[in-house]
């Protein structure tokens, strides 16, 4: 309260100023004592400044409502940030206040060639029920299969297990693979393509049972209906109650669908999708994406250095639309692999260039673009990249692993979590207030029901502004 001429006047501006910024910054300088009317005039004159602070720094309470949580768009450095969950009754909660952000520049590291690899190709990584991360690599040259065990963190140097040729059944010239889990029986399966000619082309399935730590068994289906011709880029998914798989023939520029019906363990049948020549030219990999009920496949073409976008109304569509991506992204030089991820409302595609030994990223706000990109160059000593994992988020760090066929090594690409918060994460439905100590753009990551079929993830950027300089001085003095 402020007393003037015996009457109470509420200095709302002082209350806002103190609560909003000065209490936050821990700084307040008292001005010299003045006559009551002069002080009231000062605060009235400061209204514009306070309104500016409110508009710049936002409210401490959440304003931007999203599906899973509420968060402010903008705060000041050292200002308390409060997040609110819209699903407080979820089975588990994970809040990352300073998570890895895919628009930041990643770090690359070659973790070596000590894993008994022999011409490594496709690589897949997943977290199992024991909370260990397992990686799997097919060795194109050696006709063998390797497992990597990272333990509890993808930052660990993994140990390796060589399964050899799996009793001679592992396919010749293995090229690509895809890891999937069937929720019906909790079994892990890996589908593997192999061969470069109609005679050697095959599709195989590896079954790990209920744990990726098990010794697996394998079945080789051979060249199904003699329709495989140098298959690459295998992808498998369940739609409603039926399983479907897709692959591309680099030998004759076709997309093939294999049908597994309701049992992923069945021997598949093959359906040809309409030939997409000339948009396909020596296809090397598939990046699948679902958007608004439609399926999209981003297909890398080693033959002419392009990416084809295939659009399907449903997985059983045999006459899809296709076009070649154009936009402001780096040059493709025999693109060998592609992986896509949604993160914070954007779509990111990562592509390895087999000829120029580099990694590029293509950003798009929507499936139909516009497409812009960045060249990460020879990050992590990439050399003859021949396989790339999915994008894997390990809590607040984001990883991509790449196999290098030229020197039998593995490259780790990491988008690191930042270190600018006083609290890094929370496991409660209502996280504690926290602060960012430096101006910048930070990523909040919220996951519920982790590891469960109904797991959901959402993230949001918070812009942190530097503490503004504040000066209060009287216009008139007496």
């Amino acid at each position: 309260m402020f007393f003037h001429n015996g009457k109470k006047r509420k200095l709302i501006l002082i209350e806002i100023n103190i609560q909003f910024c000065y209490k936050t910054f821990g700084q307040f300088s008292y001005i010299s004592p003045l006559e009551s009317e002069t002080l009231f005039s000062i605060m009235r004159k400061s209204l514009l400044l306070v309104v500016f602070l409110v508009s710049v720094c936002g409210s401490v309470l959440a304003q931007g409502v999203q599906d899973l949580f509420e968060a402010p768009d903008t705060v000041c450095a050292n200002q308390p940030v409060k997040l609110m969950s819209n699903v407080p009754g979820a089975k588990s909660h994970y809040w990352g206040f300073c998570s890895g952000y895919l628009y930041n520049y990643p770090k690359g590291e070659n973790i070596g060639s000590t894993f008994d690899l022999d011409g490594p190709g496709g690589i897949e990584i997943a977290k199992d029920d024991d909370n260990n991360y397992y990686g799997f690599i097919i060795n194109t040259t050696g006709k063998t299969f390797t497992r990597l065990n990272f333990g509890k963190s993808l930052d660990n140097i993994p140990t390796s297990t060589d399964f050899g040729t799996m009793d001679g059944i592992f396919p010749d010239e293995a090229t690509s693979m895809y890891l999937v889990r069937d929720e019906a029986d909790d079994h892990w399966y890996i589908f593997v393509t192999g061969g470069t000619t109609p005679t050697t082309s095959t599709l195989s399935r590896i079954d790990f049972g209920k744990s990726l730590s098990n010794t697996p068994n394998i079945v080789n289906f051979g060249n199904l209906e003699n329709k495989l011709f140098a298959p690459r880029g295998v992808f498998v998914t369940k739609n409603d109650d039926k399983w479907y798989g897709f692959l591309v023939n680099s030998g004759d520029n076709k997309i093939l669908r294999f049908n597994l019906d309701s049992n992923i363990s069945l021997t598949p049948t093959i359906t040809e999708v309409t030939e997409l020549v000339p948009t396909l030219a020596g296809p090397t990999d598939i990046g699948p994406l679902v958007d608004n009920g439609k399926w999209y496949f981003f297909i890398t073409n080693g033959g002419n250095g392009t990416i084809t976008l295939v659009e399907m109304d449903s997985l059983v569509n045999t006459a899809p639309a296709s076009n070649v991506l154009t936009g402001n992204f780096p040059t493709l030089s025999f693109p060998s692999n592609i992986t896509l991820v949604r993160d914070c409302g954007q779509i990111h595609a990562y592509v390895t260039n087999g000829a120029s030994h580099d990694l590029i990223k293509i950003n798009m706000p929507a499936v139909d673009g516009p497409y812009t990109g960045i060249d990460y160059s020879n990050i992590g000593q990439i050399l003859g990249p021949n396989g790339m994992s999915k994008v894997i988020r390990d809590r607040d760090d984001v990883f991509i692993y790449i196999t290098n066929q030229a020197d039998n090594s593995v490259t780790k690409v990491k988008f690191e979590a930042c270190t600018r918060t006083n609290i890094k994460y929370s496991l409660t439905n209502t996280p504690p207030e926290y602060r960012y100590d430096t101006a910048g753009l930070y990523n909040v990551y919220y996951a519920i029901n982790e590891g469960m079929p109904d797991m959901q993830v959402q993230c949001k950027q918070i812009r942190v502004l530097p503490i503004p300089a504040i000066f209060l001085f009287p216009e008139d003095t007496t």
Side-chain angles (χ1 to χ4, degrees), residues 380-454:
Q381 299 174 318
I382 295 173
L383 190 61
N386 198 36
M388 179 167 54
S389 73
K390 301 181 186 70
V391 178
I392 313 138
R393 183 177 285 277
D394 182 5
R395 293 297 190 180
D396 293 318
D397 294 320
V398 182
F399 296 85
I400 300 173
Y401 280 83
I402 298 169
T403 58
N404 301 303
Q405 192 172 44
D407 63 359
N408 298 320
S409 69
V410 178
T411 291
K412 176 178 72 176
V413 178
K414 180 181 179 182
F415 296 84
E416 290 187 311
C418 72
T419 58
R420 310 311 310 184
T421 58
N422 62 324
I423 303 173
K424 289 186 176 181
Y425 67 92
S426 173
L427 301 177
T428 61
N429 59 356
T430 303
E433 290 185 355
Y434 67 97
R435 304 167 187 255
Y436 297 101
D437 62 16
T438 304
L441 187 64
Y442 299 96
N443 187 40
V444 177
Y445 173 85
Y446 180 41
I448 63 171
N449 303 341
E450 282 191 288
M452 304 174 191
D454 57 348

Side-chain angles (χ1 to χ4, degrees), residues 107-304:
K107 292 184 177 180
E109 176 188 359
N110 192 298
I111 63 174
S113 56
T114 61
F115 310 114
D116 297 323
L117 304 181
D118 188 0
I123 178 171
E124 287 283 333
I125 296 176
K127 187 178 184 180
D128 208 349
D129 295 336
D130 59 2
N131 289 321
N132 286 334
Y133 286 94
Y134 295 94
F136 299 92
I137 298 174
I138 54 178
N139 294 294
T140 305
T141 304
K143 191 187 171 182
T144 58
F145 187 53
T146 300
R147 177 174 64 203
L148 304 179
N149 187 343
F150 290 86
K152 309 297 183 186
S153 172
L154 285 173
D155 264 329
N156 295 333
I157 298 297
T159 58
S160 64
T161 301
D162 184 4
F163 292 116
T165 64
M166 303 183 75
D167 297 325
I169 303 175
F170 198 76
D172 293 330
E173 301 166 320
T175 52
S176 305
M177 66 175 173
Y178 192 84
L179 174 66
V180 66
R181 191 173 198 177
D182 185 358
E183 296 174 2
D185 61 7
D186 279 339
H187 280 218
W188 290 94
Y189 298 95
I190 293 180
F191 288 81
V192 182
T193 58
T196 57
T197 67
T199 302
T200 60
S201 295
T202 60
L203 177 68
S204 304
R205 184 187 64 234
I206 299 173
D207 184 353
F208 278 90
K210 295 186 177 183
S211 174
L212 291 174
S213 64
N214 291 337
T215 298
N217 59 67
I218 185 173
V219 57
N220 192 323
F221 299 118
N223 191 338
L224 292 165
E225 304 174 30
N226 293 316
K227 292 180 179 178
L228 303 180
F229 187 1
R232 296 287 302 261
V234 62
F235 160 68
V236 179
T237 188
K238 192 173 186 179
N239 189 48
D240 294 329
D241 62 342
K242 293 184 178 181
W243 288 93
Y244 298 97
F246 287 83
L247 53 82
V248 287
N249 273 345
S250 60
D252 58 9
N253 300 320
K254 291 181 180 179
I255 300 177
L256 300 180
R257 185 183 77 237
F258 54 94
N259 313 290
L260 295 159
D261 204 78
S262 58
N263 189 342
I264 198 173
S265 296
L266 295 176
T267 299
T269 60
I270 290 285
T271 300
E272 288 190 26
V273 178
T274 299
E275 196 169 351
L276 296 176
V277 175
T279 56
L280 293 185
T284 57
D285 200 9
I286 293 178
L289 190 72
V290 182
D291 189 70
N292 292 323
K294 291 185 178 182
W295 282 87
Y296 296 88
F297 297 124
F298 291 77
I299 300 175
T300 49
N301 297 296
N304 60 7

Side-chain angles (χ1 to χ4, degrees), residues 458-473:
Q458 195 148 21
C459 56
K460 178 180 173 62
Q461 281 72 55
I462 296 180
R463 184 171 297 279
V464 178
L465 300 178
I467 301 172
I470 298 176
F471 301 97
L472 295 180
F473 54 88

